Amino acid sequence: MTHRIGVVGGDGIGPEVTEQALAVLDALGVDYTAVEYDLGAKRYLLDGTVLPDEIMDEWRSLDAILLGAVGDPAPGLAAPAGLVERGILLRMRFELDQYINLRPFRLPPKADMEVIRENTEGAYAGEGGFLRKGTEHEIATQGSVNTRMGVERCVRFAFERAANTDRRQIHLVHKTNVLTYAGDLWRRTFDEVAEEYPQVSTGYDHIDAACIHFVERPQRYDVIVTDNLFGDILTDLGGAISGGVGFAASANLNPARTGPSMFEPVHGTAPDIVGQNKANPIAAIISAGLMLEFLGEDDAAARVAAACESPQRYRGTTEEIGQAVAQAAAQG
């Protein structure tokens, strides 16, 4: 089966690390067709393009999207803050219903866990506004939107993930003592779904406590499920404690497969090292491995995961690391 994969190299080091991820797919003999898209801050600064409707329509027919990074394309260049990220990443998540953000963190024995973040609601849903903007009496509101449907499908995905792997423990992370409405919905939903999975042990931590545990004892966790904002912050910390953000991969999933899922490294565009062959492509490669898993290429996905386990392959130039992982994955 030939997979149609949209490829958005994006800005900065994005094209460099994406190239190495695709090279690993090639080494494994994965049957795919890459459909390239020129999007990102560089494109926006050139002609004002962010994400045209016709491209969004094309994406609906793809099997997956592999993205490098979007943002500042080079030193001294920048699009208006957040414009490209919201216009591409958030629009993609909302319109393609990529409601699960899955981020694995593996650096045994220090960390071996997965964070499952609700990806389309919460503080990022866009609810809010200004009153009396620009005056001394200005008011800004930013609400957190949490629906039973949105919370439950995220929690249920997390329990399925825990029940069908060797990860048999799941923690809810929130702030129920302060966020008494959203937190109550999350906690009630979590407890109700948990009754359907007696084989999975459960726990709860406030977000501030979870941050402490991430630093001091990350081995406490197997699977974490949390909301959009807390998940965003917690997973960046997860990247730091598992070797650095250069190792942090992510999957933005539409489990119902009504549209393509998107896979990307968590790191930024690093414009200060563009073209210097210094960027670490591991996160992009792991993201490609998550894509293979979601596409049903289980053997290839397992080979990528195994090839990325060895710290020795994290040393060298961008191309050297990519070649080492590709060779190891191909050899199995």
Side-chain angles (χ1 to χ4, degrees):
M1 177 179 179
T2 301
H3 305 291
R4 295 186 69 244
I5 299 172
V7 178
V8 183
D11 299 309
I13 62 170
E16 299 174 42
V17 297
T18 302
E19 180 183 4
Q20 298 308 315
L22 293 175
V24 173
L25 267 59
D26 293 337
L28 287 165
V30 175
D31 188 2
Y32 74 96
T33 298
V35 186
E36 302 274 353
Y37 294 94
D38 178 18
L39 297 172
K42 183 178 179 181
R43 175 68 184 275
Y44 172 79
L45 292 170
L46 178 66
D47 62 11
T49 296
V50 179
L51 177 52
D53 291 342
E54 56 267 27
I55 290 181
M56 178 62 75
D57 290 339
E58 286 182 25
W59 282 355
R60 298 180 193 282
S61 66
L62 297 175
D63 296 308
I65 298 168
L66 185 64
L67 187 144
V70 293
D72 298 349
L77 292 178
L83 184 146
V84 171
E85 291 86 342
R86 291 192 303 271
I88 296 177
L89 302 180
L90 293 189
R91 184 183 177 193
M92 187 189 312
R93 292 172 186 171
F94 295 150
E95 294 195 23
L96 298 178
D97 205 20
Q98 296 167 352
Y99 63 86
I100 293 294
N101 185 264
L102 170 67
R103 295 188 182 182
F105 300 101
R106 297 188 179 98
L107 189 63
K110 185 178 180 181
D112 187 4
M113 60 181 162
E114 293 181 343
V115 177
I116 294 167
R117 161 192 172 194
E118 200 290 317
N119 213 28
T120 60
E121 295 189 345
Y124 294 2
E127 190 275 333
F130 291 102
L131 292 173
R132 306 184 187 95
K133 187 174 182 180
T135 75
E136 62 179 321
H137 301 293
E138 181 172 346
I139 300 170
T141 64
Q142 191 83 55
S144 179
V145 178
N146 300 266
T147 68
R148 173 68 191 221
M149 183 199 74
V151 173
E152 182 171 343
R153 65 182 184 175
C154 178
V155 169
R156 192 170 295 279
F157 178 92
F159 272 96
E160 284 290 321
R161 186 84 179 176
N164 293 299
T165 65
D166 58 357
R167 300 179 181 278
R168 296 305 177 111
Q169 183 186 64
I170 181 170
H171 279 78
L172 170 65
V173 170
H174 211 281
K175 190 68 174 172
T176 56
N177 58 338
V178 175
L179 303 178
T180 53
Y181 301 118
D184 182 70
L185 174 58
W186 273 88
R187 188 61 188 263
R188 281 187 291 109
T189 305
F190 181 83
D191 291 343
E192 290 169 18
V193 173
E195 294 179 2
E196 302 176 32
Y197 297 87
Q199 71 274 40
V200 179
S201 63
T202 63
Y204 171 82
D205 283 324
H206 292 323
I207 180 61
D208 43 358
C211 288
I212 295 171
H213 294 318
F214 260 47
V215 174
E216 295 184 346
R217 56 187 78 85
Q219 62 274 16
R220 170 185 177 87
Y221 297 115
D222 281 335
V223 175
I224 287 174
V225 63
T226 188
D227 80 350
N228 208 336
L229 178 59
F230 293 148
D232 192 3
I233 297 168
L234 199 60
T235 52
D236 282 351
L237 179 58
I241 62 99
S242 61
V245 74
F247 304 106
S250 76
N252 297 270
L253 302 178
N254 176 334
R257 300 177 191 268
T258 57
S261 296
M262 185 269 281
F263 304 83
E264 62 169 336
V266 176
H267 61 66
T269 59
D272 56 319
I273 59 170
V274 173
Q276 299 178 38
N277 208 17
K278 291 181 179 179
N280 185 346
I282 288 292
I285 294 170
I286 296 173
S287 298
L290 295 173
M291 179 179 71
L292 292 174
E293 177 186 346
F294 196 73
L295 292 174
E297 299 281 357
D298 294 340
D299 179 66
R303 286 170 178 260
V304 172
C308 291
E309 285 292 323
S310 173
Q312 285 73 29
R313 298 193 184 102
Y314 298 165
R315 304 191 185 101
T317 66
T318 305
E319 292 181 355
E320 288 170 346
I321 295 172
Q323 290 171 1
V325 174
Q327 183 178 7
Q331 293 175 347

